[in-house]
Amino acid sequence: MSLASPVRTGAEAAPVPPSAASRTGRRAAGLIASVVLLAVVAAASIAVGSKPIPLDQVWDGLFHYSGDKTDVVIRDVRVPRTLLGLLVGIGLGLAGAVMQALTRNPLADPGLLGVNAGASAAVVSAISFLGVTSLTGYVWFALLGAALASVIVYVIGGSRGATPVRLALAGTATYSALYGYVYAVQMLDTAALDKMRFWTVGSLASANMTVVEQVAPFLLLGLALTLVLARPLNAIALGDDTARALGARLATTRVLAMVATTLLCGAATAACGPIAFVGLMVPHIVRALTGPDMRWIMPYAATLSPVLLLGSDIIGRIAVRPSELQVGVVTTLIGGPVFIFLVRRRRMAQL
């Protein structure tokens, strides 16, 4: 007696893909959860520090200011620090998402266009040759240096037609040359080395409302520009020929993407110094959750990147009380192992 094996039809064998409405619903629910998580982390950033502050006192300090010591700490120290962390996190996350789409490289970093190196070169020049000593003074030089570095990269990489490979190679060369200049100046000027040391680690500790007000317009302009670029970047991710067939203007999109990256990453670097891994990790992880659609990657990156940055800042404040670890150190300690894991994965989230 033989047993007949069941026959499976093609309809039975092939899994039924989830509907577009179902995918959209899950993405929207995940985005709402990300916003809630960001609100919780932001509240914790105000409440947690070398001296914990109960949430009821945080509420009173924000909305019923009495002028006592706790209220001053909340309004003048922790609120500016949290706001700057929020803005910088959004800037780094969106800059990373744009860079990865522009270069079609899922592990591209916001500094790939030399933005961080340009900002660092301008800051060390201002310290060594012009005697600038305040953070508010660094901001404008850093923004100018970031913009000039981006222009140099585009002139070098786009002289014969900007392509992802040419831009990446030009950015790498510019990055190396500018950081060589930074190290040379620091070796020749020990005072510049001492003043640069704190800035180059990456920190939110010196945040104040003046710095927030200085960088906010650049970050908000960059944010608006990235939202406009979502559809063209989706087309570019399919390849140049396909993008042209879909009507995308490749040169215009790449120029605007570089402008957006300069505004976002340049302003973030100017305010806090270079902070590693935030713009690399978050967009890549988000892509694994949402797929390659930039219309979803951008809002996810804009909410989860400040979660990572503010969360790292909180860890740095409580890990070695009463001192603190700079946020750039914490993101590096977290990002290193995560980066190794992403590189060693057999299946990476592709663009």
Side-chain angles (χ1 to χ4, degrees), residues 87-98:
L87 289 172
V88 168
I90 291 172
L92 292 176
L94 288 177
V98 171

Side-chain angles (χ1 to χ4, degrees), residues 87-89 91-92 143 215 219 262-275:
L87 289 172
V88 168
L92 292 176
L143 284 168
V215 300
L219 290 167
T262 301
L263 290 170
L264 293 168
C265 192
T269 304
C272 305
I275 296 177

Side-chain angles (χ1 to χ4, degrees), residues 31-41:
L31 185 58
I32 292 172
S34 300
V35 173
V36 172
L37 178 60
L38 177 57
V40 171
V41 173

Side-chain angles (χ1 to χ4, degrees), residues 156-248:
I156 296 173
S159 59
R160 297 183 179 180
T163 65
V165 174
R166 287 197 182 103
L167 290 175
L169 291 174
T172 301
T174 303
Y175 175 95
S176 300
L178 288 176
Y179 267 116
Y181 166 77
V182 170
Y183 297 144
V185 173
Q186 288 179 332
M187 288 180 65
L188 296 173
D189 187 346
T190 55
L193 174 62
D194 292 338
K195 292 173 184 176
M196 278 284 290
R197 186 180 295 119
F198 183 79
W199 184 81
T200 53
V201 168
S203 173
L204 296 173
S206 299
N208 56 61
M209 287 307 298
T210 301
V211 174
V212 173
E213 291 167 0
Q214 284 178 327
V215 300
F218 298 97
L219 290 167
L220 293 176
L221 180 59
L223 169 62
L225 191 56
T226 56
L227 296 179
V228 173
L229 291 172
R231 288 181 180 275
L233 287 174
N234 276 343
I236 285 180
L238 299 174
D240 289 1
D241 293 338
T242 303
R244 290 191 188 93
L246 293 173

Side-chain angles (χ1 to χ4, degrees), residues 291-302:
D293 192 342
M294 293 295 291
R295 293 172 298 176
W296 285 102
I297 290 173
M298 287 182 177
Y300 266 89

Side-chain angles (χ1 to χ4, degrees), residues 4-351:
S5 60
V7 177
R8 300 181 66 187
T9 65
E12 294 172 355
V16 179
S19 66
S22 176
R23 289 197 302 270
T24 301
R26 287 198 302 271
R27 290 169 175 169
L31 185 58
I32 292 172
S34 300
V35 173
V36 172
L37 178 60
L38 177 57
V40 171
V41 173
S45 177
I46 298 174
V48 176
S50 58
K51 175 189 174 184
I53 301 175
L55 289 178
D56 58 338
Q57 293 186 29
V58 171
W59 180 268
D60 290 339
L62 292 174
F63 300 104
H64 305 96
Y65 186 75
S66 64
D68 63 17
K69 184 177 179 180
T70 299
D71 288 357
V72 171
V73 169
I74 291 171
R75 286 206 177 188
D76 295 346
V77 178
R78 295 194 181 175
V79 168
R81 184 169 184 159
T82 301
L83 287 176
L84 188 62
L86 177 65
L87 289 172
V88 168
I90 291 172
L92 292 176
L94 288 177
V98 171
M99 277 304 308
Q100 290 173 14
L102 181 65
T103 62
R104 296 200 289 270
N105 179 358
L107 294 179
D109 184 82
L112 188 62
L113 291 182
V115 175
N116 290 347
S120 298
V123 169
V124 77
S125 298
I127 292 172
S128 183
F129 304 124
L130 301 178
V132 178
T133 58
S134 66
L135 180 62
T136 54
Y138 296 165
V139 168
W140 298 110
F141 285 97
L143 284 168
L144 178 61
L148 289 176
S150 295
V151 171
I152 291 171
V153 169
Y154 192 78
V155 169
I156 296 173
S159 59
R160 297 183 179 180
T163 65
V165 174
R166 287 197 182 103
L167 290 175
L169 291 174
T172 301
T174 303
Y175 175 95
S176 300
L178 288 176
Y179 267 116
Y181 166 77
V182 170
Y183 297 144
V185 173
Q186 288 179 332
M187 288 180 65
L188 296 173
D189 187 346
T190 55
L193 174 62
D194 292 338
K195 292 173 184 176
M196 278 284 290
R197 186 180 295 119
F198 183 79
W199 184 81
T200 53
V201 168
S203 173
L204 296 173
S206 299
N208 56 61
M209 287 307 298
T210 301
V211 174
V212 173
E213 291 167 0
Q214 284 178 327
V215 300
F218 298 97
L219 290 167
L220 293 176
L221 180 59
L223 169 62
L225 191 56
T226 56
L227 296 179
V228 173
L229 291 172
R231 288 181 180 275
L233 287 174
N234 276 343
I236 285 180
L238 299 174
D240 289 1
D241 293 338
T242 303
R244 290 191 188 93
L246 293 173
R249 298 180 179 179
L250 299 183
T252 301
T253 300
R254 286 180 176 132
V255 170
L256 292 178
M258 291 188 65
V259 171
T261 302
T262 301
L263 290 170
L264 293 168
C265 192
T269 304
C272 305
I275 296 177
F277 288 108
V278 175
L280 169 63
M281 285 192 297
V282 175
H284 183 79
I285 294 171
V286 165
R287 190 175 297 106
L289 299 174
T290 66
D293 192 342
M294 293 295 291
R295 293 172 298 176
W296 285 102
I297 290 173
M298 287 182 177
Y300 266 89
T303 52
L304 293 179
S305 293
V307 168
L308 173 61
L309 188 63
L310 290 174
S312 299
D313 189 43
I314 293 170
I315 293 172
R317 279 186 264 171
I318 64 177
V320 290
R321 283 176 177 168
S323 299
E324 68 175 64
L325 288 174
Q326 306 307 322
V327 66
V329 175
V330 180
T331 59
T332 301
L333 291 174
I334 295 173
V338 173
F339 181 76
I340 292 171
F341 170 75
L342 293 176
V343 170
R344 291 182 61 85
R345 285 181 64 188
R346 291 186 178 181
R347 296 183 60 188
M348 296 173 60
Q350 299 296 324
L351 292 171

